[in-house]
Amino acid sequence: MQKDPRLGIEPRTFLLQGNSATNCALQQEGPLPAVSKGTHVIVPLVEELEGGRWEAAVVKLEDRRIKLSVNSPPTAVIGRYQLTVGTTCANGQDTFTHDPANDIYMLFNPWCEDDSVFMDSEAERQEYVLNDVGKLYYGTEYQIGARTWNYGQFNDGILAACLFILERSRTPNSGWGDPVNVTRILSAMVNSPNDLGVIEGNWSGDYSLGTSPTVWSGSVEIINEYYKNKGTPVKYGQCWVFGGVFTTVLRCLGIPARTVTNFSSAHDTDVSLTTDVYLDEEMEPITYLNTDSIWNFHVWTDCWMARPDLPPGNGGWQAVDGTPQETSQGTFRCGPASLAAVRNGQVYLKHDSAFVFAEVNSDKIYWQKSKDGTFIQVYSEKNAVGHSISTKAVGSDERNDITHLYKHPEGSEEERIAVEIACRYGSKAAAYSSPTAEDVTVEVILEGDGPKIGADAELTIRLKNMSSEKRTVTLHSQLAIMYYTGVYKDTVKKDKADVELLPNEENDLAWELEYKMYKDQLIDQAALMLTLSGRVKETQQVLATQFSFRLRTPDLVIKPIGKAVVGEKMVVEISFTNPLPQVLKAVIFHMEGTGLLAARKIEFGDIGRHASVSLVQDFVPSLPGPRKLLVSLDCKQLTQVHGVSDITVEDKSSLAS
């Protein structure tokens, strides 16, 4: 069966009885498989595979043996499917007996552009999906240690064991097509407290009833033991063991993943988004109140996916954690939390962004008890947590510092803004002074239809002072290239500006992106996101907004020549002007139109910089009435170029009358 896009197995051969018609069915393991929920699939037999759907086509027919190739949609539910094949002939119907050896394992597919876990870098796919050995980091930020960890996601029996872990969650398998849901389920199943998951945590120092966490050097033995013992938690693990096993399970199921270590990692127990230290009147720690802590290091897992459930820009790397620290919606689990949301202090975005934010960027605040029993803030440390966040580098055994993905540079204006935005949603929002006024607004204005690809992009940033006093704004801007799924690709421009606003003034700032800055970065949909953040000096008001836009591509001009009549040849001229100051290589035109012509591919060749070209095509309409001719252009340098022409086709009989 073809790998399109989630099925990665070879075509199967079946033995037929007599002159038979054949049909296939796939049924998910688990209770009550249903067609409506995608867990029972009737696979239609088609003449030609189209892709993006459940379908099967004959690859080879020889005597009484038939070989079928099967495609699946990118949203298919992952898991183990039972395969049955039915035949119908003159002698009646027959169904092949289910054979477990023919069971099919459906996985996520990071090579498929339509899959939510698609990752476009082959080097990163090799590292985060296919590499079965990695590095885990421990110690302190000044004495970072490293140990090799055997993920072993391709070892015999590991795939079946990983699906067993998913099945043991007893969650509806109809939701297993969504990586957000699957990673959240597995976050709970890697630990044991709520659902007898894979590993039992132990930080007591007494490991006499099991294996010391420091003894493990890989995931395979742990996962196999859990599977062999039919779901009995393995003793014992600590954070790096939970992180290593979680990475193995995700890679095994096709989700790109990496194990991450955060040094000076905060554990916020009261949703304050701060790490709190309570002191008595004599400045002595109050032990029973000091439940927050800072770990020397903590290990979790990043996984890669789109986040259609969040605002654009929050796809990409997500933090998930299998270590049972705090409950989330009543269960010990954490994530997936968007790293972009964590970085910008958007702790209100699901799942568990507030907890992860506190781990990497909370302030350490000291509170002293007053005589009346209340506490007042006496000191704060703004650089106490979230240092040297580390993971193994792509393609080497070097350590890669990814702190910048979790937080802005420590002490920068952007970082302080993120902290204050986050803490507004915490239980101690009063620890940060509220703005004395909120009388400045910021918005982004797009003129007309927006900027065109191949040219400089221009936007307007409008600042408005609604007060009767002067305002001084420090404004940061950052432009990122985005996938249409909302996944971040790269930052191409960053700016900072200090703007003075007179009383009641409206000030339009011209913002420009030169073509040379984005020409080598664009991807399919030419999508960009401008992020603005700033602070008003006089009032401490925080400004923040994001604006998504795209660079417009030119249309194809389609001109019918002569009349369109059923059964008679007609001609169209297709014209196009290259908007880019670079050559378009290996250009292909696609044409199709119901009732006009079947899909046709034209390999045109190269088109020079800013060159205009035209081509003439002929076809014979087959159906009368109003029709649409669709034409698109595709090449590596430019996509999303298309055109349509309305063509009314006359019937010969009507012409004769």
Side-chain angles (χ1 to χ4, degrees):
M1 298 189 179
Q2 290 187 1
K3 192 176 182 180
D4 179 35
R6 286 198 179 168
L7 221 50
I9 47 183
E10 294 301 313
R12 298 290 180 92
T13 302
F14 304 97
L15 182 65
L16 302 183
Q17 304 292 331
N19 296 318
S20 305
T22 306
N23 63 77
C24 299
L26 294 169
Q27 180 170 290
Q28 265 266 5
E29 290 287 323
L32 302 176
V35 173
S36 62
K37 296 182 178 180
T39 53
H40 183 85
V41 181
I42 308 298
V43 184
L45 199 61
V46 299
E47 290 292 328
E48 188 173 332
L49 296 174
E50 294 184 7
R53 62 177 184 174
W54 283 110
E55 57 185 353
V58 176
V59 173
K60 187 177 182 181
L61 182 60
E62 187 177 84
D63 192 18
R64 294 191 307 153
R65 294 182 181 274
I66 184 172
K67 183 179 284 190
L68 298 178
S69 184
V70 179
N71 280 349
S72 65
T75 54
V77 172
I78 70 159
R80 181 160 55 104
Y81 288 77
Q82 294 179 351
L83 172 68
T84 58
V85 179
T87 61
T88 304
C89 62
N91 297 329
Q93 298 181 345
D94 190 21
T95 301
F96 287 78
T97 305
H98 168 247
D99 181 356
N102 286 329
D103 283 354
I104 291 170
Y105 292 82
M106 186 77 68
L107 309 176
F108 293 103
N109 187 352
W111 281 264
C112 171
E113 292 188 11
D114 294 323
D115 199 307
S116 293
V117 302
F118 171 66
M119 176 175 267
D120 71 342
S121 167
E122 179 59 26
E124 291 186 338
R125 290 192 295 250
Q126 291 291 325
E127 182 66 53
Y128 299 133
V129 182
L130 300 182
N131 197 349
D132 55 6
V133 179
K135 290 274 190 180
L136 307 187
Y137 299 94
Y138 61 94
T140 71
E141 61 177 300
Y142 302 111
Q143 295 172 300
I144 296 177
R147 61 180 299 176
T148 300
W149 190 266
N150 177 31
Y151 294 122
Q153 68 267 32
F154 302 118
N155 280 38
D156 288 344
I158 292 297
L159 175 56
C162 289
L163 288 175
F164 171 76
I165 295 168
L166 196 55
E167 291 162 2
R168 285 281 292 177
S169 71
R170 293 180 173 82
T171 55
N173 50 11
S174 57
W176 294 357
D178 177 7
V180 175
N181 184 47
V182 168
T183 53
R184 191 151 172 79
I185 292 168
L186 291 172
S187 173
M189 284 304 300
V190 168
N191 62 67
S192 66
N194 300 112
D195 34 34
L196 298 178
V198 180
I199 308 161
E200 182 178 327
N202 187 341
W203 287 264
S204 70
D206 179 6
Y207 312 116
S208 56
L209 297 180
T211 301
S212 169
T214 57
V215 169
W216 305 113
S217 59
S219 308
V220 174
E221 186 179 356
I222 297 169
I223 293 173
N224 278 337
E225 184 177 329
Y226 182 74
Y227 187 35
K228 176 184 175 183
N229 294 329
K230 297 181 172 57
T232 300
V234 178
K235 301 177 179 179
Y236 293 104
Q238 291 182 7
C239 65
W240 65 91
V241 182
F242 290 108
V245 168
F246 203 170
T247 298
T248 294
V249 176
L250 293 177
R251 289 186 183 183
C252 181
L253 298 180
I255 300 175
R258 63 189 184 191
T259 311
V260 172
T261 301
N262 177 38
F263 292 94
S264 298
S265 187
H267 181 179
D268 176 24
T269 59
D270 61 358
V271 203
S272 66
L273 300 177
T274 56
T275 303
D276 300 299
V277 180
Y278 293 94
L279 309 170
D280 61 19
E281 294 93 329
E282 305 301 322
M283 298 297 285
E284 293 292 330
I286 304 175
T287 304
Y288 73 91
L289 288 180
N290 289 330
T291 54
D292 288 353
S293 59
I294 297 179
W295 298 20
N296 283 345
F297 72 95
H298 180 51
V299 179
W300 61 72
T301 301
D302 281 350
C303 56
W304 180 272
M305 64 188 66
R307 290 298 301 270
D309 57 324
L310 299 182
N314 287 288
W317 287 116
Q318 315 288 314
V320 287
D321 196 347
T323 302
Q325 293 188 94
E326 297 291 330
T327 59
S328 171
Q329 296 177 314
T331 300
F332 280 101
R333 59 186 169 188
C334 181
S338 163
L339 266 61
V342 171
R343 188 171 190 259
N344 293 317
Q346 296 170 319
V347 298
Y348 46 84
L349 296 178
K350 58 186 182 182
H351 295 277
D352 307 310
S353 299
F355 186 79
V356 178
F357 178 89
E359 288 182 299
V360 301
N361 205 15
S362 57
D363 286 352
K364 190 173 185 179
I365 297 185
Y366 295 79
W367 304 85
Q368 186 180 14
K369 190 174 184 179
S370 303
K371 290 181 179 180
D372 62 1
T374 60
F375 287 86
I376 59 171
Q377 181 181 342
V378 293
Y379 182 65
S380 67
E381 287 183 83
K382 295 180 171 58
N383 188 22
V385 305
H387 301 153
S388 302
I389 303 176
S390 303
T391 191
K392 178 186 173 298
V394 173
S396 81
D397 285 335
E398 297 299 312
R399 182 181 69 88
N400 184 23
D401 192 310
I402 58 171
T403 307
H404 64 286
L405 298 181
Y406 276 88
K407 57 200 291 189
H408 293 285
E410 199 71 59
S412 67
E413 185 76 10
E414 298 102 316
E415 187 262 347
R416 287 292 89 198
I417 289 172
V419 170
E420 294 184 25
I421 288 173
C423 289
R424 289 180 184 177
Y425 297 89
S427 60
K428 293 187 176 69
Y432 295 89
S433 57
S434 299
T436 56
E438 294 189 345
D439 46 28
V440 176
T441 61
V442 61
E443 65 175 322
V444 180
I445 298 171
L446 184 71
E447 299 290 345
D449 293 328
K452 296 180 178 179
I453 196 167
D456 297 344
E458 295 180 354
L459 300 173
T460 299
I461 300 171
R462 178 166 292 168
L463 287 166
K464 186 183 295 185
N465 178 9
M466 296 179 291
S467 79
S468 57
E469 299 176 1
K470 185 190 78 169
R471 295 289 183 250
T472 306
V473 178
T474 298
L475 191 66
H476 302 267
S477 66
Q478 173 179 297
L479 186 83
I481 304 290
M482 308 296 294
Y483 293 95
Y484 76 95
T485 54
V487 174
Y488 165 90
K489 179 180 186 287
D490 203 3
T491 297
V492 294
K493 182 179 181 181
K494 296 178 75 171
D495 278 321
K496 175 184 175 183
D498 293 317
V499 184
E500 285 197 359
L501 296 172
L502 298 175
N504 299 303
E505 181 186 7
E506 184 177 284
N507 190 345
D508 286 352
L509 308 177
W511 182 91
E512 184 177 39
L513 175 69
E514 295 180 344
Y515 170 71
K516 65 182 181 183
M517 297 183 71
Y518 71 78
K519 67 183 182 70
D520 297 323
Q521 298 283 352
L522 285 184
I523 43 185
D524 283 354
Q525 306 290 328
L528 303 108
M529 176 181 284
L530 177 63
T531 299
L532 300 176
S533 62
R535 187 191 300 277
V536 181
K537 179 181 177 181
E538 292 81 3
T539 63
Q540 297 303 298
Q541 178 189 351
V542 171
L543 303 173
T545 190
Q546 291 183 315
F547 183 78
S548 297
F549 64 102
R550 70 179 183 90
L551 299 173
R552 291 173 48 232
T553 52
D555 293 330
L556 296 175
V557 178
I558 306 169
K559 180 182 177 183
I561 300 174
K563 280 189 175 182
V565 181
V566 172
E568 295 183 5
K569 183 186 292 186
M570 73 166 296
V571 174
V572 295
E573 181 184 42
I574 303 163
S575 302
F576 167 73
T577 298
N578 177 8
L580 303 183
Q582 65 182 109
V583 176
L584 304 183
K585 299 283 189 179
V587 172
I588 294 175
F589 287 91
H590 296 262
M591 296 177 59
E592 64 178 289
T594 302
L596 296 175
L597 78 162
R600 178 186 300 178
K601 182 171 75 172
I602 304 139
E603 296 181 355
F604 186 83
D606 297 349
I607 299 177
R609 62 187 67 183
H610 294 304
S612 295
V613 298
S614 64
L615 66 156
V616 174
Q617 292 288 303
D618 60 64
F619 52 89
V620 178
S622 57
L623 294 174
R627 301 290 163 189
K628 290 185 182 292
L629 177 64
L630 312 177
V631 185
S632 64
L633 175 151
D634 187 66
C635 66
K636 184 177 181 180
Q637 297 79 18
L638 190 63
T639 61
Q640 290 293 322
V641 177
H642 43 78
V644 61
S645 177
D646 291 308
I647 297 176
T648 300
V649 181
E650 300 183 25
D651 200 336
K652 276 187 177 180
S653 58
S654 63
L655 289 176
S657 61

